[in-house]
Amino acid sequence: MPITIADVATRAGVSKTTVSRVLNGKGEVHVRTADRVRAVINALGYVPSARAVGLARGRTRVVGMLVPALTWPWMGEVLQGAADVVEAEGYGMLLFTCTHGDESMRRFASQVSAKSFDGLLVVEPEGTLDYITELHERGLPVILIDDRGHQPGFPSVRTTNEAGARAAAAHLLTHGRKRPLVVTGLSRFGCTRERLAGFAAGYADAGLPIDPALVVEGDFTFECGRVAVENLLADGVPFDAVFAHNDLSAAGALQALRDAGRRVPEDVAVVGFDDLPLAGHTHPPLSSVRQPLREMGAVAARTLIAHLGGTPLPATPTVIPTSFTVRASTGAT
């Protein structure tokens, strides 16, 4: 049977409250009594519950993380970055998803009420920003990862979606591509609007405004990229490049082009966004705007844990820039 605090109290001839005070360094305990309790703890090999000690001290040394779902293509990279830092700092992590909608949020709220974690990392589940803001205003430290253009009233870590898309435009223009098909993400997301704006501005600055007929709203899936390309080819609409708002939809575009006998990059160059491991394994390998996803998770976790240690939270968003990875889908060898 595991040794309990009651066993220590009985052997030392004190109350459980006295043992707890010795463990937590709180309250007045006579020096001789404290020494006796510590000697019994050592003799019995008692190991206090980290959670119990943390709660007694007013903290849990646990970080909460709320995300929409684990099926998002880039979520694993963000989670790994955050988990690496949390583990290295000696904290635990409680992970919450919103795959069951309101039921998931009710369960999350119950853990908030129980003060099960000291601070929260968030990749915002759609429709929850007001609630997350309320938690922040009530005193829970919160860091938002990938603000998607919402610019919340609490700290966030984001990347440069607009600049990344401009880099994609510049790369395609360098390769002489004048009629790009743009497969966007969902229009209600700020990152979609930023990527479209950056890419369109890059082409407009070159005197080549994007043809509205070549902008197709997608939903970040393989199918949306495949269907967008198939439909334009069927309608005879000419294009010499594809800029997809994520790597998965770019992979769908590559599949449709291959099925239609179009050569990549000779006939059509293709660029994605995210630069996930997938991008290096498509056929041909995919040029992509690299989101610093793992770094974003790590920086958010490091910022939160530093705050729990007494460092003030930053007053402005932390911005980690995108970069561009060139592969064979745009002509690299």
Side-chain angles (χ1 to χ4, degrees), residues 30-141:
H30 193 279
V31 173
R32 290 181 180 176
T33 302
D35 287 344
R36 186 169 74 251
V37 169
R38 293 189 189 99
V40 171
I41 288 172
N42 290 334
L44 295 178
Y46 173 64
V47 179
S49 159
R51 175 172 170 77
V53 172
L55 289 172
R57 292 176 177 171
R59 55 189 175 87
T60 63
R61 291 193 68 82
V62 173
V63 168
M65 188 161 186
L66 176 66
V67 303
L70 300 181
T71 53
W72 285 25
W74 50 262
M75 192 62 69
E77 290 291 306
V78 173
L79 283 172
Q80 191 62 60
D84 286 346
V85 171
V86 168
E87 183 177 350
E89 294 294 333
Y91 277 69
M93 179 184 283
L94 279 176
L95 178 62
F96 305 90
T97 69
C98 284
T99 52
H100 292 94
D102 290 344
E103 179 185 349
S104 295
M105 288 305 298
R106 282 193 295 271
R107 291 177 180 173
F108 170 72
S110 71
Q111 295 299 309
V112 173
S113 299
K115 298 182 178 179
S116 297
F117 43 86
D118 299 329
L120 182 65
L121 303 172
V122 181
V123 177
E124 180 207 342
E126 197 168 0
T128 64
L129 187 59
D130 288 346
Y131 173 59
I132 302 303
T133 301
E134 180 185 338
L135 293 181
H136 167 72
E137 291 172 348
R138 282 162 39 190
L140 180 68

Side-chain angles (χ1 to χ4, degrees), residues 18 59-60 104 158 170 243 254 279 292 299 302 325:
T18 299
R59 55 189 175 87
T60 63
S104 295
R158 59 167 303 171
F243 173 51
L254 285 171
V299 168
R302 197 172 293 117
T325 303

Side-chain angles (χ1 to χ4, degrees), residues 181 216 224-237 239 256:
L181 161 62
V216 178
C224 80
R226 184 183 64 80
V227 170
V229 168
E230 286 180 348
N231 287 345
L232 263 70
L233 290 175
D235 292 342
V237 178
F239 58 96

Side-chain angles (χ1 to χ4, degrees), residues 252-331:
L254 285 171
Q255 180 67 56
L257 291 166
R258 187 162 57 250
D259 291 346
R262 299 297 177 97
R263 298 171 303 163
V264 176
E266 292 85 355
D267 299 326
V268 181
V270 180
V271 173
F273 204 110
D274 288 338
D275 198 23
L276 297 176
L278 164 71
H281 299 285
T282 56
H283 180 67
L286 179 67
S287 293
S288 184
V289 179
R290 181 183 180 273
Q291 284 204 85
L293 298 164
R294 190 169 295 210
E295 294 94 324
M296 289 165 67
V299 168
R302 197 172 293 117
T303 301
L304 179 59
I305 290 174
H307 174 68
L308 297 176
T311 302
L313 288 170
T316 57
T318 300
V319 180
I320 307 175
T322 55
S323 57
F324 194 83
T325 303
V326 179
R327 297 191 180 91
S329 70
T330 55

Side-chain angles (χ1 to χ4, degrees), residues 150-242:
H150 284 161
Q151 300 176 344
F154 52 86
S156 64
V157 177
R158 59 167 303 171
T159 191
T160 51
N161 284 296
E162 188 167 341
R166 270 185 173 269
H171 179 73
L172 290 172
L173 285 164
T174 297
H175 285 73
R177 309 300 169 141
K178 298 180 178 181
R179 283 187 56 81
L181 161 62
V182 184
V183 183
T184 75
L186 294 164
S187 60
R188 65 178 181 270
F189 287 166
C191 61
T192 295
R193 296 190 293 273
E194 290 172 351
R195 292 172 194 179
L196 181 58
F199 190 79
Y203 266 83
D205 289 349
L208 295 167
I210 301 294
D211 183 347
L214 291 175
V215 179
V216 178
E217 181 174 354
D219 58 2
F220 297 115
T221 63
F222 181 94
E223 280 300 297
C224 80
R226 184 183 64 80
V227 170
V229 168
E230 286 180 348
N231 287 345
L232 263 70
L233 290 175
D235 292 342
V237 178
F239 58 96
D240 58 8
V242 177

